[in-house]
């Protein structure tokens, strides 16, 4: 498609407007330096293979949960970290330490999966690991039954606790960043995530609707999460809310 002459390409796009974004992405990709293209190609290839694996495989064990989240979000964290280092805006170690970068992605993805329980169940999607929910119910969808609320909350809290295990890696990763824009880009989603986990913890509304942090709360977090001292304070605050 990209080999078409300009008049023919314009005609093609008028006939198939949905293809425009594909052309734009392809053109932008080709304009990148080779070092960036290599990272993006590798991450997209690995992500595609991993997501294809889970088309036929259920999220069974907690290990499977980590693996699924690695494919859909951990690899994004790894790829972005490599790009940060390739740009020389961050030190090489940021891109080399794939374990910390992976944890950044896992923390965000696990938060999304926990929060979106009901939305996923309604369309027959199942991302909560069976190893966790089978301790409390015969079927994952049973957790949405009012009579199962005590069991549902126990399962929910187990998964929130598991997600919080990534916090030490999140702090270590963010502490390495030196570029302010990159720090903000990485820190803001992480503090949003821990605020969301705090809101979800032991909250029956996870099984009744959608749990979201307030808009004012989100704006405050965005404005505050600009340095490590503030980020650590935010993390401590919401961790204590879960604990108590």
């Amino acid at each position: 498609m990209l080999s078409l002459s300009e008049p023919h390409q314009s005609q093609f796009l008028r006939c198939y407007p949905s293809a425009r974004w594909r052309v734009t992405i392809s053109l932008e990709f080709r304009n990148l330096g080779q070092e960036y293209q290599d990272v993006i190609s590798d991450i997209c290839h690995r992500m595609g293979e991993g997501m294809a694996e889970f088309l036929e495989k259920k999220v069974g064990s907690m290990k499977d949960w980590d693996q699924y989240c690695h494919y859909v979000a951990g690899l994004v964290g790894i790829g972005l970290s490599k790009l940060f280092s390739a740009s020389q805006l961050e030190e090489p170690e940021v891109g080399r330490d794939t374990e910390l970068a992976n944890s950044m992605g896992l923390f965000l993805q696990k938060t999304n999966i926990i929060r979106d329980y009901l939305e996923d169940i309604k369309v027959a999607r199942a991302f909560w690991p069976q190893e966790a929910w089978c301790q409390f119910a015969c079927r994952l969808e049973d957790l949405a039954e009012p009579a199962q609320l005590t069991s549902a909350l126990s399962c929910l809290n187990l998964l929130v606790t598991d997600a919080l295990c990534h916090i030490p890696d999140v702090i270590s990763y963010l502490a390495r960043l030196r570029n302010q824009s990159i720090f903000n880009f990485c820190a803001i989603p992480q503090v949003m995530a821990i605020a969301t986990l705090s809101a979800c913890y032991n909250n029956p509304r996870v099984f009744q609707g959608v749990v979201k942090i307030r808009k004012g709360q989100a704006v405050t977090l965005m404005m505050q999460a600009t340095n490590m001292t503030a980020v650590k304070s935010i993390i401590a605050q919401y961790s204590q809310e879960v604990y108590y």
Side-chain angles (χ1 to χ4, degrees):
M1 179 168 58
L2 292 175
S3 63
L4 294 173
S5 64
E6 185 173 342
H8 288 119
Q9 189 177 108
S10 298
Q11 182 179 3
F12 176 88
L13 292 175
R14 283 197 298 272
C15 294
Y16 301 97
S18 63
R20 184 177 298 278
W21 65 269
R22 298 185 182 92
V23 174
T24 301
I25 291 172
S26 182
L27 285 172
E28 292 298 330
F29 176 78
R30 292 169 187 269
N31 286 332
L32 294 173
Q34 189 61 48
E35 67 273 27
Y36 303 121
Q37 290 189 28
D38 290 344
V39 171
I40 295 169
S41 296
D42 174 59
I43 294 299
C44 288
H45 176 74
R46 291 160 63 187
M47 184 183 294
E49 285 191 337
M51 293 177 74
E53 176 185 333
F54 276 91
L55 285 175
E56 301 178 353
K57 176 181 176 181
K58 294 181 179 180
V59 181
S61 66
M62 298 298 286
K63 184 177 180 180
D64 288 338
W65 198 37
D66 279 354
Q67 191 65 29
Y68 173 77
C69 291
H70 164 72
Y71 287 140
V72 300
L75 283 171
V76 176
I78 291 171
L80 286 171
S81 299
K82 290 181 179 294
L83 293 175
F84 297 156
S85 293
S87 69
Q88 300 184 4
L89 293 173
E90 296 294 347
E91 295 297 321
E93 185 61 23
V94 172
R96 282 197 297 259
D97 196 334
T98 57
E99 184 175 347
L100 292 187
N102 186 59
S103 264
M104 292 281 285
L106 263 61
F107 185 60
L108 298 181
Q109 187 62 27
K110 287 182 177 181
T111 299
N112 290 339
I113 288 173
I114 291 167
R115 179 198 61 196
D116 293 342
Y117 165 83
L118 191 62
E119 179 181 328
D120 288 335
I121 286 298
K122 286 180 177 179
V123 293
R125 291 193 299 253
F127 297 118
W128 281 29
Q130 185 174 2
E131 182 181 339
W133 62 257
C134 73
Q135 300 176 48
F136 306 99
C138 295
R139 303 179 305 161
L140 179 57
E141 54 267 35
D142 290 345
L143 295 177
E145 297 295 329
Q148 297 293 323
L149 181 58
T150 299
S151 294
L153 291 175
S154 295
C155 185
L156 167 66
N157 294 344
L158 185 156
L159 294 181
V160 170
T161 303
D162 176 86
L164 289 173
C165 290
H166 295 288
I167 285 296
D169 284 347
V170 168
I171 292 173
S172 296
Y173 181 95
L174 293 174
R176 282 182 177 164
L177 301 179
R178 296 294 176 261
N179 180 276
Q180 186 65 58
S181 294
I182 291 176
F183 182 88
N184 295 350
F185 175 79
C186 294
I188 290 171
Q190 301 295 325
V191 297
M192 295 285 194
I194 195 167
T196 300
L197 285 179
S198 175
C200 288
Y201 188 78
N202 211 42
N203 190 342
R205 289 193 294 117
V206 171
F207 306 97
Q208 302 161 359
V210 179
V211 175
K212 293 183 178 180
I213 60 177
R214 301 183 307 276
K215 289 183 179 179
Q217 184 181 5
V219 171
T220 299
L221 289 171
M222 292 173 65
M223 294 177 64
Q224 290 179 341
T226 58
N227 59 80
M228 276 309 301
T229 300
V231 167
K232 287 179 180 179
S233 177
I234 292 167
I235 289 173
Q237 172 193 336
Y238 288 108
S239 297
Q240 287 172 0
E241 288 185 7
V242 170
Y243 181 77
Y244 292 111

